[in-house]
Amino acid sequence: MMPSPAVVLGVGGGIAAYKACELLRRFTESGHAVTVVPTAAALRFVGEPTWAALSGRPVATEVWDRVHEVPHVRIGQHADLVVVAPATADLLARAAHGLADDLLTNTLLTARCPVVLAPAMHTEMWEHPATRENVATLRRRGAYVIEPAVGRLTGVDTGKGRLPEPAAIFEYCRALLARGGAEPDLAGLYVVVSAGGTREPIDPVRFIGNRSSGKQGYALAATAAARGARVTLIAANTSLPDPAGVDVMRVSTTAQLRDAVLEAARTADAVVMAAAVADFRPAEPAVAKIKKTDDASAPDIKLVQNPHVLRELGHSRARRGQTVVGFAAETGDAHGTWLEHGRAKLAKYGVDLLVVNEVGENLTFGADHSAAVVIGADGSQEQVPDGPKERLADVIWDRVLKARSRTD
Ligand code: CTP
């Protein structure tokens, strides 16, 4: 068995350093050897014994510790992944300028493996032009700088700047390691993914919905982020944790999803409609809860058809060269095979790629794996055998890149 990749966990001096303890645990529990390199400021938040105990290894904090082992170059050279969480504004600035004034910044200069920086700071610091430029510089050089999450910050403030949840940072790193250090081939692209299932209100407490878990859309968003894309995930009624580095917008009805998707699509390089969008909605949802009557009668609920978002995207591209991807679940019938129906749908909606699942009695919801065929407007067809949803997501992004290279 191959040894698990060696990870360096750099910890910056921010209050979110306590969350890095859980991140460390996740790495060690999944078999990684982790060398923790806290900055001097980080040690004021979480002490050296905690890092040593959780990693099971000595913790080097200074270039002057164990000098004969030349730690200032060895640690970076031997890493398969360096992840810095939290990365403070100061640390980002030092990294962007190539300073080497402590062990962590030395490590960042000597690492030749993927480097993930998970910033955490107050919104004002994150939005300051100095930080924006430092982040842009680091990204241009190939570092993976995760977008901070929005939410409660230290004190009473809320806004963008929170460290994403340790589980999400871990998943991000896992996806990166699974790619074996491959280049961030989606860097510079802005992609929009819809996920989950829309709900159409019947009255204030009831709705028409579907059983989509949103897992495929989340896998698409997470893999795109791990490949360096800027990602907006439009999530309809999901209960999954936000993937790290992804802007998540929550919607419920088809009308809300449509507004959010069309707005984001104006500047997107690719839009992937993985959401299960309700085809129909009650024409006039009741404003008050519908009551039962004593005569055992039931209300007639008149339905109207929803707009078809994918068709709108396919037929009126917001940007030249934008790639539009849809999903379809098909069955064969007297008029054709499931794949023939898929091809007809691809043409009807005017999309570049359609991910077609054959459905039947084995129709499953909420599974972690799926099989599909990805068909292209260029006549291409790629079978993706049953496997993790991340694998299907990677194939979809590969096809998106191919489709783009043809239109460039
Ligand atoms: N979709 C959409 N807007 C809708 C309905 C679906 O954008 N109002 C998108 C889904 O996100 C998915 C694709 O269209 O990408 C599904 O295609 P569709 O033909 O609507 O699927 P079904 O409803 O399963 O097809 P059918 O009407 O043939 O049963």
Side-chain angles (χ1 to χ4, degrees):
M1 222 171 73
M2 291 269 289
S4 294
V7 173
V8 170
L9 172 62
V11 188
I15 186 74
Y18 79 93
K19 289 191 182 174
C21 300
E22 195 194 326
L23 180 60
L24 170 57
R25 261 219 115 91
R26 285 181 184 262
F27 277 115
T28 53
E29 279 173 7
S30 52
H32 296 278
V34 187
T35 304
V36 185
V37 185
T39 62
L43 292 173
R44 298 191 62 159
F45 291 97
V46 179
E48 187 263 337
T50 303
W51 303 117
L54 289 177
S55 67
R57 297 161 76 91
V59 173
T61 58
E62 289 202 45
V63 284
W64 307 113
D65 294 340
R66 301 155 75 102
V67 177
H68 63 287
E69 291 174 6
V70 207
H72 73 287
V73 290
R74 288 281 181 277
I75 293 174
Q77 281 173 339
H78 290 165
D80 297 304
L81 178 83
V82 176
V83 50
V84 182
T88 57
D90 174 69
L91 194 50
L92 292 174
R94 288 191 288 137
H97 288 84
L99 298 191
D101 52 356
D102 64 6
L103 187 59
L104 181 52
T105 44
N106 273 276
T107 301
L108 292 174
L109 283 181
T110 50
R112 292 295 173 267
C113 58
V115 172
V116 176
L117 299 154
M121 62 196 73
H122 269 77
T123 313
E124 293 82 351
M125 296 172 95
W126 174 248
E127 288 175 349
H128 193 284
T131 308
R132 306 306 317 139
E133 276 175 34
N134 291 332
V135 168
T137 302
L138 290 162
R139 282 186 175 147
R140 205 172 49 247
R141 292 188 196 138
Y144 295 84
V145 185
I146 301 180
E147 286 293 307
V150 177
R152 179 88 193 263
L153 305 170
T154 320
V156 293
D157 300 357
T158 56
K160 188 161 188 167
R162 246 174 96 86
L163 187 73
E165 289 309 309
I169 301 175
F170 176 72
E171 283 307 318
Y172 185 98
C173 294
R174 209 171 56 96
L176 209 56
L177 285 168
R179 290 177 38 73
E183 289 293 299
D185 56 356
L186 298 180
L189 292 190
Y190 173 43
V191 305
V192 176
V193 178
S194 70
T198 57
R199 290 179 183 172
E200 304 298 345
I202 295 171
D203 67 16
V205 294
R206 303 181 180 95
F207 57 83
I208 298 174
N210 61 67
R211 289 161 60 195
S212 172
S213 68
K215 284 183 179 172
Q216 186 62 63
Y218 273 63
L220 277 155
T223 48
R227 291 171 70 160
R230 182 160 79 82
V231 186
T232 295
L233 174 65
I234 295 162
N237 309 298
T238 56
S239 55
L240 300 166
D242 291 356
V246 168
D247 273 328
V248 183
M249 287 183 67
R250 301 205 171 267
V251 295
S252 185
T253 64
T254 300
Q256 291 165 353
L257 178 129
R258 177 175 175 273
D259 287 351
V261 168
L262 295 185
E263 175 59 31
R266 282 155 44 115
T267 51
D269 297 295
V271 186
V272 182
M273 285 292 295
V277 183
D279 288 318
F280 308 101
R281 68 175 189 280
E284 282 172 33
V287 282
K289 187 178 168 215
I290 301 170
K291 293 273 188 206
K292 288 185 287 298
T293 51
D294 291 336
D295 63 1
S297 66
D300 281 331
I301 298 171
K302 184 173 157 28
L303 299 179
V304 290
Q305 200 164 332
N306 272 326
H308 203 280
V309 187
L310 183 65
R311 193 200 305 244
E312 290 180 68
L313 290 165
H315 286 291
S316 49
R317 301 293 159 118
R319 294 185 67 194
R320 226 182 116 244
Q322 183 178 75
T323 311
V324 177
V325 185
F327 275 71
E330 300 290 344
T331 49
D333 59 20
H335 304 286
T337 65
W338 62 283
L339 259 182
E340 285 164 348
H341 289 312
R343 277 238 161 261
K345 198 166 265 187
L346 179 134
K348 183 169 80 172
Y349 296 157
V351 298
D352 302 286
L353 295 167
L354 194 71
V355 185
V356 192
N357 302 105
E358 184 184 16
V359 294
E361 277 148 28
N362 60 351
L363 182 59
T364 52
F365 288 94
D368 291 319
H369 56 92
S370 55
V373 174
V374 184
I375 56 176
D378 58 356
S380 61
Q381 179 170 320
E382 181 162 349
Q383 183 100 35
V384 187
D386 197 20
K389 286 184 190 275
E390 285 76 16
R391 181 162 342 131
L392 176 57
D394 268 326
V395 172
I396 295 168
W397 293 124
D398 290 345
R399 309 292 315 183
V400 167
L401 277 178
K402 259 199 194 127
R404 291 186 61 76
S405 66
R406 270 192 305 275
T407 55
D408 279 349

